[in-house]
């Protein structure tokens, strides 16, 4: 069978299974198997590629990061970080909304997950904002938008997925590269939120009592020390990403169960069950995506796309704009993890041929697909926020439009000013 027919079968089966609402991991695996069958390849090769996709020491970091985030999420970490954010920005107009943005950034520095951000911080702040007469749809919108910081702020497990899909890009460099873009994103969200709050007359936050300040700072420092362990260990060279994740799990366990005693020890079983469910889904997704990416490579689809894009224009500005638009469109109906694993092998040859740094491209890719997490019809983070705030997807989406535009503007700045992402890695690595 010709390569053209096999490509059509691969793409058609992928689209049809998506429309039939199959889980994305099953879609990737079944499409790969069907295409291998039409190519008269041994079906065992798909299983081998799936196993090979999991045969990586770096992947062990993901279960550890998920476990550490789950431990902290089950405790009262979100409330302590909210209190710290309240101390920093809470006493101005729209204070609770600004606290939401800062708290999501702080929590993302620990969980590395936008969905965990929206769930943990949102469960604390969305009800509080509603009680303070903030509109429910606005409360959901600001929480959902702020939670996207979790995909860019290290330790993001999406960066580990990209590093593996790109063939060994430095995880520590990606973690460093995400810091400045996240801070720019935070500043943009704060400015946008302040002007919206001022226009709508939302109340000022209540100032923190002076006697409470030392305890809030101490609690915030102890909670944030998880991120210090993860990032400090990696950047100093003391730990690998996997080792720092394991040590962070031990610290989070001691802090939650013995220092603050937020949870009884019997709750450990619940935490491990939730972690195992999440990890099993993530690992199966990685395995299926690796098989799908291998089929794409076998059919030379990345080379065809590279030639196609470069035939449109040899102007890097135009090519990067096309790539960003493509990713924004794909991010709406598809989830972030699969897209990283599928699109990286396809687009990586294109951007490297333009001279784009792989670390810089990783940040652009991750932020772009992160925006898709708040874009219907499959906006995972948006769904979490709407469930907590009890508002419709339509109402929250309308309130998200200003944030969406601001985030796309930030994406464009980060795309065309590579120094924002590369300055810190180059400084630390001495290049």
């Amino acid at each position: 069978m010709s390569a053209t027919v096999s490509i059509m079968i691969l793409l058609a089966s992928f689209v049809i299974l998506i429309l039939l609402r199959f889980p994305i991991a099953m879609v990737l695996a079944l499409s790969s198997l069907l295409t291998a069958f039409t190519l008269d390849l041994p079906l065992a090769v798909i299983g081998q590629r799936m196993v090979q996709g999991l045969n990586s020491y770096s992947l062990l970091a993901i279960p550890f990061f998920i476990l550490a985030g789950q431990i902290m999420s089950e405790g009262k970490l979100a409330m302590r970080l909210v209190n710290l954010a309240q101390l920093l920005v809470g006493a101005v107009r729209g204070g609770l909304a600004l606290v939401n943005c800062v708290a999501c950034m702080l929590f993302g520095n620990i969980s590395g997950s936008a969905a965990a951000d929206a769930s943990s911080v949102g469960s604390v702040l969305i009800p509080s904002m509603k009680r303070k007469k903030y509109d429910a749809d606005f409360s959901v919108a600001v929480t959902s938008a702020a939670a996207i910081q979790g995909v860019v702020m290290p330790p993001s497990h999406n960066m580990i997925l990209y590093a593996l899909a790109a063939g060994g890009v430095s995880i520590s460099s990606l973690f460093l590269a995400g810091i400045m873009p996240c801070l720019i994103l935070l500043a943009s969200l704060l400015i946008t939120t302040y002007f919206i709050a001022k226009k709508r007359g939302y109340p000022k936050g209540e100032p923190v009592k002076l006697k409470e300040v030392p305890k809030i700072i101490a609690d915030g420092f102890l909670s944030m020390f998880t991120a210090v362990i993860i990032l400090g260990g990696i950047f100093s060279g003391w730990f690998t990403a996997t080792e720092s994740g394991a040590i962070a799990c031990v610290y989070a366990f001691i802090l939650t169960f013995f220092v603050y005693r937020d949870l009884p020890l019997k709750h450990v079983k619940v935490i491990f069950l939730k972690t195992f469910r999440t990890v099993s889904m993530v690992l199966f997704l990685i395995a299926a995506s690796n098989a799908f990416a291998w089929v794409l490579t076998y059919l030379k689809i990345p080379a065809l796309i590279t030639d196609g894009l470069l035939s449109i224009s040899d102007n890097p500005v135009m090519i990067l704009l096309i790539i960003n638009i493509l990713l924004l469109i794909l991010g709406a109906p598809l989830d972030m993890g699969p897209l990283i694993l599928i699109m990286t092998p396809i687009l990586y040859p294109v951007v490297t041929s333009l001279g784009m740094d792989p670390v810089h491209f990783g940040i652009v890719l991750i932020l772009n697909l992160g925006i898709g997490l708040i874009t219907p019809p499959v906006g995972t983070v948006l769904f979490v926020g709407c469930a907590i705030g009890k508002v419709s997807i339509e109402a929250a989406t309308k309130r998200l439009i200003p944030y969406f535009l601001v985030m796309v503007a930030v994406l464009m700045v980060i795309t065309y000013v590579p120094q924002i992402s590369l300055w810190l890695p180059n400084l630390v690595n001495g290049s």
Side-chain angles (χ1 to χ4, degrees), residues 3 7 10 39 293-307 345-346:
I7 291 173
L10 178 68
L39 289 167
W294 179 83
V295 173
L296 291 175
T297 304
Y298 184 87
L299 293 171
K300 300 181 181 179
I301 292 177
L304 292 173
I305 292 177
T306 300
D307 293 340
I346 293 175

Side-chain angles (χ1 to χ4, degrees), residues 6 24 38 76 127 144 147 165 169 194 197 232 253 255 287 296 332 348 357 373 398 422:
S6 296
I24 185 64
T38 61
K76 297 180 181 178
S144 302
V169 175
Y194 174 77
F253 181 82
L255 188 67
L296 291 175
Y348 188 85
D357 189 284
L373 296 175
K398 183 179 178 181
L422 298 178

Side-chain angles (χ1 to χ4, degrees), residues 53-54 59 62 161 164 281-291 341:
L54 300 178
L59 270 181
I62 294 178
L161 293 181
L164 295 171
M281 290 187 292
V282 170
L283 293 183
F284 180 51
L285 178 59
I286 292 171
S289 298
N290 191 70
L341 296 165

